[in-house]
Structure formats: structure tokens, C-alpha cells
Amino acid sequence: MTSWTLECLTVGPLQMNTWLLLDSAAGEAALIDPGDEAPRLLSALDAAGCRLRWLLATHGHFDHVGAAAAIQVTHDVPL
């Protein structure tokens, strides 16, 4: 059985919402719209104790993908 939780992190100067979807039972996570503040997003992921499995963007504007490359340096996941 999965136990999904959803966290909203407001990031960057445009105050864009990044979503962290966690399946604590499986130890997996999805990061949706990683717009900015990669260190903060990575810290939230580490605090959750889950492995980043999916890095997703609803569209390609800079405020939705700005932190993706920095996150990919730490986690080998495609955007």
C-alpha cells in the first residue's frame, strides 16, 4: 500500500510553487516544477528520506525548470 503525501514549496523571486510528491512506503519521490532554489529543494528531499525517482515540469518556462540542472547533478534522473 502506498502512502503518498504532497508538499508545496514556494521558490524564487516569482514565488512559483514547486511540488514534492512523496511515497514514504516505497521511499520514492517526484519533484514537480523545480523552478529555483535547488539547495532548498534538495534539502527537502533529503529530509523526506526518499529517493528522487521523477523530475517533472508542467511546461518549460524558466520559472518551472530553473533548478532542474542543479538537481540533476546530484540525482541521475531525466527531466
Side-chain angles (χ1 to χ4, degrees), residues 14-70:
L14 297 180
Q15 296 294 281
M16 206 283 304
N17 291 329
T18 296
W19 299 94
L20 183 58
L21 182 62
L22 304 165
D23 180 353
S24 56
E28 297 179 332
L31 193 57
I32 305 159
D33 288 335
D36 200 357
E37 300 182 47
R40 181 174 166 215
L41 299 178
L42 290 168
S43 290
L45 185 62
D46 288 343
C50 292
R51 178 175 66 97
L52 183 61
R53 181 86 190 266
W54 303 276
L55 184 60
L56 309 167
T58 56
H59 61 279
H61 290 162
F62 74 94
D63 59 325
H64 287 253
V65 298

